[in-house]
Amino acid sequence: EAGVVQSPRYKIIEKKQPVAFWCNPISGHNTLYWYRQNLGQGPELLIRYENEEAVDDSQLPKDRFSAERLKGVDSTLKIQPAELGDSAVYLCASSLDRRTAAIQFFGPGTRLTVL
Amino acid sequence: DAKTTQPPSMDCAEGRAANLPCNHSTISGNEYVYWYRQIHSQGPQYIIHGLKNNETNEMASLIITEDRKSSTLILPHATLRDTAVYYCIGQGGEKLTFGTGTRLTIIP
């Protein structure tokens, strides 16, 4: 069974440029998460989807970050424009449903470097 | 979610049992204790969870004290591939709140 797929694995951009990350969760998983992980820190939740609905986006910086999960399967996280402080690893995770929300399966992440 | 406290780093000799402690003195009665680990350049990986009984699976054992204020994750025969950051999470809702974890290094 394929795990959570993320692309790209690495991205280097200059500040003020836009960037997008893509995630394909495990087949059949209704809940999808985007996390940001700064160096030396644990992952921090940005947004959580139940199917195509964003049910928790309280930590998403909405002035520059946006996300979508059309058709309730794969998802895209976008930053526009990127700032130096956005350099981090962006992780996508999925879980089967709300009942098993704490057992999450993570992708390898996208390492973003903003110059 | 309960606040958890873990030592920042630990070493363990290869082949020995690795015992990773976690304090969660503010955990409430309906909050579970979850353990994840993160190997370098990978996403976190679920290991085990428990409420008040000890739990064991193919990866590890989880020992929770009777008062539920602390727990210990046990890797019975550590290998070099167990080198990772281990996160202890007290969770009662639908999201995980990661701390900074314990960096476990397995020494050959």
Side-chain angles (χ1 to χ4, degrees):
Chain A
E1 178 182 314
V4 176
V5 179
Q6 291 189 248
S7 68
R9 288 296 313 276
Y10 305 91
K11 190 72 176 179
I12 301 174
I13 61 171
E14 294 189 344
K15 62 181 181 182
K16 301 184 181 180
Q17 294 300 306
V19 65
F21 315 122
W22 177 80
C23 171
N24 187 252
I26 292 174
S27 177
H29 281 198
N30 295 327
T31 310
L32 183 145
Y33 313 79
W34 282 103
Y35 290 84
R36 177 170 59 189
Q37 185 171 24
N38 292 312
L39 191 63
Q41 303 296 312
E44 297 175 311
L45 180 68
L46 292 174
I47 190 168
R48 175 168 66 96
Y49 281 92
E50 293 292 338
N51 297 302
E52 62 273 8
E53 180 184 1
V55 296
D56 183 357
D57 62 356
S58 57
Q59 300 304 310
L60 189 73
K62 298 180 182 65
D63 57 337
R64 296 183 300 105
F65 286 65
S66 64
E68 61 182 13
R69 191 184 183 197
L70 301 175
K71 300 180 182 179
V73 182
D74 55 354
S75 176
T76 302
L77 178 69
K78 298 179 181 179
I79 308 175
Q80 182 170 10
E83 297 179 351
L84 296 177
D86 296 331
S87 294
V89 175
Y90 291 84
L91 293 159
C92 179
S94 68
S95 63
L96 185 60
D97 51 36
R98 296 182 76 164
R99 188 176 56 85
T100 58
I103 300 177
Q104 299 178 16
F105 296 82
F106 285 78
T110 297
R111 181 177 296 276
L112 174 66
T113 301
V114 182
L115 302 175
Chain B
D1 294 344
K3 177 178 169 56
T4 60
T5 304
Q6 300 177 253
S9 64
M10 293 181 62
D11 292 340
C12 178
E14 186 179 16
R16 304 297 294 269
N19 297 284
L20 293 96
C22 178
N23 287 321
H24 33 77
S25 58
T26 62
I27 198 168
S28 62
N30 63 346
E31 288 184 316
Y32 285 74
V33 179
Y34 284 80
W35 284 83
Y36 278 73
R37 74 178 182 183
Q38 187 171 22
I39 295 170
H40 183 63
S41 296
Q42 298 184 20
Q45 175 191 25
Y46 164 80
I47 301 173
I48 198 168
H49 73 282
L51 185 62
K52 53 184 177 181
N53 296 321
N54 298 337
E55 302 287 345
T56 295
N57 63 19
E58 65 278 5
M59 291 183 68
S61 295
L62 175 60
I63 308 298
I64 303 174
T65 58
E66 191 169 345
D67 63 9
R68 299 207 335 116
K69 292 185 177 182
S70 66
S71 61
T72 301
L73 180 75
I74 301 172
L75 308 178
H77 305 287
T79 71
L80 298 179
R81 288 177 293 182
D82 293 322
T83 291
V85 177
Y86 287 76
Y87 298 99
C88 168
I89 302 167
Q91 185 267 358
E94 295 176 337
K95 70 177 187 180
L96 297 172
T97 302
F98 290 84
T100 52
T102 296
R103 181 173 298 277
L104 175 67
T105 302
I106 306 302
I107 309 297

